[in-house]
Amino acid sequence: MPVTSRRARAQGRTTTLTRLAAGVVAVAVVGTLGACSADGTSDGSYAPDVAYEDAPAPEGWRDVPTDPQEEYDDSPEQPFQDVRTSPLSTFASDVDTASYSNLRRQLRQGVEPEGVRIEELVNYFDYDYPTPDPSAEDPFTVTTQVADAPWAPGHQLAMIGVQATAAKPTSRGNNVVFLLDVSGSMDEPNKLPLLADSFELLVEQLDEDDTVSIVTYAGSEQVLADSVPGDRRGELVEILRDLRAGGSTGGARGLETAYELATKNFVEGGNNRVVLATDGDFNVGPSTPEQLTDLIEEHARSGVYISVLGFGMGNLKDNTMEAIADHGNGNYAYIDTLDEARKVLVDEFDSTMFVVAQDLKVQVELNPATVAQYRLLGYDNRRLEDEEFDDDTKDAGDVGAGHAVTAFYELVPAGGEASADDLDYQDVDAGDSTDFLTVHVRYKHPGQNESTEVVFPADAGTYTTRPSSDFRFASAVVEFALAVTRSEHAEGADPARARERAQAALGEDPYGLRSEFVTLVGTYQELTG
């Protein structure tokens, strides 16, 4: 099937954040995202967001670190691979976006960025990929485009885009359990108050066919609502507005209770989901990412999915929340403003709630006749062993209605002549194909146990000297991320060049998200001098 040209988890560790000044204590919420109505449409205007707490504008960050509080996964980035000895690259799909909004929060606070995951920065934005035909057998399309790498003369970039159908897989109702952290660590203006306001937005998307349960947890868990019809919004909003923070954090027991309620109220053929809202700071009972993922993996096989929403700063446990989402067949977003909540819970309601492709894996086969070396940019804790691609028992990422998964490979072109590989027992014949690579995608239809594989070759025609605006913008996001993370494999990455390229590739930008990125790059430049 021809392609049209367009768009092993490492062990977690505690990392140390550096902060600007003692007076910078909470996020300054700026209304830069486009305001949207309850039905998800834009009115073309920009509305100021709620200021949960003011903070002075950052001027630079300190070199002296403060006590470690926030925790991020420390997965090593992938080095270049030789195509002759490692022709396959395999990874699980990832539609999380938490890393981008957390980066935005950190830069606005003058906090040196931590937990930057390239794929989540890229996948935060929409790209104009073709959508599947309603009668298509597979619920997604795959497109590729290859162009020169801006930060590495002589190298190329391959952009791979997997676009899911926007059609919801079911017309049955939502069975949703709100699992809300009301422990003492949530007693901050940009935590529990923002959480309550965010869930009010979610309540507005529900109707009489939906049921809502609400579980809170601190030192102990409490069921505040059990299968309340979604059209009883006043009752649900009143519960949210009465939330108060205090006590320790027994999140594991809260998860157990939430899953029990979701199972008890299970809607066959519907959307059954736990929505967890927390700063991830569990301190009673099972609390490490490993302990919590063991807890939820069994529940994940029951057909109950999970969405994880992170809130707050200072003690954010990003690694814990990402692990819960990854192992619980879910997605993870970080809510730093009410507009971000609107983006995730209103504008992207269907893609957040309804899975159309389960356990979606991507395996890219590189052609040694055209590519000498390659490396996958990002997906550092989503990489899989090559043999796990065909293993239907291996869990991978789920893709929601309308979601897109974008990945970039940096390619070192082949020199034209076969190089000596010094192998005594293996002879690699590059052949004469002009393809760059072939994309293999394996997925399951929701609720099924056996996967389906589809194949998309990227031939010589995918290379262009005039890449699309989507390619140019997304590659600018990648270059900025490489610079922020100080990638040892991309020393030429330049935030100034990334900002210039992004500014020239804004496109229509109806909600101002791309323009906001350009501003954030400028903030980073100011902070780093």
Side-chain angles (χ1 to χ4, degrees):
M1 181 175 180
V3 176
T4 57
S5 296
R6 276 194 66 92
R7 172 152 138 141
R9 173 173 305 279
Q11 184 174 359
R13 68 171 174 85
T14 301
T15 57
T16 301
L17 295 178
T18 57
R19 291 181 175 77
L20 170 60
V24 180
V25 293
V27 66
V29 183
V30 181
T32 54
L33 303 183
C36 300
S37 63
D39 62 359
T41 59
S42 171
D43 61 3
S45 64
Y46 295 86
D49 208 346
V50 179
Y52 291 91
E53 190 164 329
D54 293 329
E59 298 175 356
W61 47 61
R62 297 187 308 187
D63 293 329
V64 180
T66 58
D67 292 336
Q69 294 291 326
E70 301 195 0
E71 296 177 3
Y72 298 94
D73 182 68
D74 188 32
S75 298
E77 67 173 334
Q78 184 180 60
F80 281 97
Q81 308 292 310
D82 192 314
V83 176
R84 290 179 176 272
T85 55
S86 301
L88 299 177
S89 172
T90 309
F91 63 95
S93 65
D94 190 355
V95 295
D96 297 344
T97 60
S99 184
Y100 179 83
S101 47
N102 189 37
L103 170 74
R104 176 174 60 204
R105 182 269 298 182
Q106 292 175 101
L107 290 180
R108 287 177 175 174
Q109 281 303 108
V111 176
E112 188 170 6
E114 296 268 5
V116 177
R117 295 182 287 273
I118 294 176
E119 70 278 9
E120 294 187 23
L121 269 62
V122 172
N123 286 322
Y124 184 85
F125 301 95
D126 292 330
Y127 305 104
D128 189 22
Y129 297 133
T131 57
D133 187 270
S135 61
E137 182 178 354
D138 302 305
F140 55 83
T141 61
V142 174
T143 60
T144 56
Q145 188 171 142
V146 179
D148 295 333
W151 59 84
H155 290 195
Q156 297 167 333
L157 282 182
M159 181 182 183
I160 300 171
V162 180
Q163 176 64 59
T165 178
K168 293 190 296 186
T170 178
S171 60
R172 303 292 301 274
N174 296 287
N175 163 35
V176 185
V177 180
F178 298 171
L179 177 56
L180 311 179
D181 183 352
V182 294
S183 63
S185 65
M186 295 293 290
D187 191 17
E188 297 288 343
N190 58 0
K191 291 188 179 182
L192 193 56
L194 178 56
L195 181 158
D197 290 343
S198 300
F199 276 80
E200 284 191 35
L201 293 175
L202 177 53
V203 166
E204 290 299 320
Q205 308 311 303
L206 305 175
D207 57 30
E208 67 275 4
D209 295 328
D210 305 315
T211 60
V212 178
S213 302
I214 300 178
V215 179
T216 61
Y217 66 91
S220 60
E221 73 285 350
Q222 185 176 2
V223 177
L224 302 183
D226 184 353
S227 62
V228 174
D231 60 347
R232 286 160 57 178
R233 299 187 182 95
E235 177 181 340
L236 296 169
V237 168
E238 183 177 358
I239 293 173
L240 294 170
R241 290 179 178 173
D242 285 342
L243 295 175
R244 299 294 181 269
S248 55
T249 314
R253 183 54 193 157
L255 280 166
E256 289 278 17
T257 302
Y259 275 111
E260 288 171 4
L261 279 174
T263 301
K264 179 174 73 76
N265 300 319
F266 194 87
V267 176
E268 195 66 40
N271 171 46
N272 300 277
R273 183 172 296 268
V274 172
V275 183
L276 167 62
T278 178
D279 59 8
D281 190 13
F282 298 170
N283 54 32
V284 174
S287 59
T288 68
E290 293 77 15
Q291 290 171 325
L292 290 168
T293 55
D294 287 344
L295 175 68
I296 68 172
E297 280 183 344
E298 180 178 350
H299 294 294
R301 292 188 286 268
S302 70
V304 177
Y305 298 92
I306 191 167
S307 293
V308 182
L309 305 180
F311 289 84
M313 58 175 289
N315 64 335
L316 185 73
K317 302 302 184 281
D318 176 84
N319 58 341
T320 299
M321 291 183 286
E322 186 193 16
I324 291 173
D326 288 350
H327 290 264
N329 288 343
N331 43 51
Y332 169 36
Y334 176 78
I335 307 298
D336 59 334
T337 69
L338 192 60
D339 269 331
E340 182 65 19
R342 184 177 295 111
K343 175 180 183 291
V344 173
L345 300 175
V346 178
D347 302 348
E348 299 173 356
F349 178 82
D350 287 349
S351 58
T352 299
M353 293 291 175
F354 296 97
V355 172
V356 297
Q358 192 172 334
D359 288 338
L360 190 145
K361 308 169 190 173
V362 179
Q363 185 169 81
V364 176
E365 180 183 358
L366 286 300
N367 180 9
T370 55
V371 181
Q373 294 182 311
Y374 69 92
R375 78 183 193 99
L376 173 62
L377 303 179
Y379 295 90
D380 294 320
N381 60 10
R382 304 292 282 167
R383 294 194 297 268
L384 300 173
E385 299 297 331
D386 293 336
E387 59 270 20
E388 291 177 326
F389 181 71
D390 296 326
D391 183 358
D392 284 346
T393 66
K394 179 63 179 178
D395 187 56
D398 297 336
V399 178
H403 260 147
V405 178
T406 300
F408 276 92
Y409 282 86
E410 184 174 347
L411 311 178
V412 179
E417 294 184 4
S419 60
D421 52 27
D422 296 326
L423 297 178
D424 293 329
Y425 304 108
Q426 180 178 354
D427 181 20
V428 179
D429 184 2
D432 56 5
S433 170
T434 58
D435 289 354
F436 285 98
L437 50 87
T438 297
V439 181
H440 301 256
V441 180
R442 185 173 286 276
Y443 74 100
K444 300 171 187 171
H445 290 285
Q448 295 188 4
N449 296 320
E450 295 185 3
S451 64
T452 299
E453 181 178 349
V454 286
V455 180
F456 304 84
D459 59 26
T462 59
Y463 175 79
T464 178
T465 57
R466 298 174 62 86
S468 66
S469 61
D470 279 346
F471 185 104
R472 288 182 284 124
F473 182 84
S475 68
V477 176
V478 171
E479 183 170 9
F480 175 63
L482 291 171
V484 170
T485 57
R486 299 179 178 87
S487 169
E488 62 178 296
H489 304 290
E491 295 180 357
D494 181 4
R497 180 175 53 224
R499 185 185 185 193
E500 181 179 355
R501 191 161 71 259
Q503 179 67 61
L506 294 179
E508 295 183 1
D509 197 23
Y511 302 120
L513 299 179
R514 294 190 178 190
S515 297
E516 179 191 59
F517 170 76
V518 173
T519 301
L520 287 178
V521 178
T523 300
Y524 177 82
Q525 292 177 281
E526 293 172 5
L527 289 168
T528 56

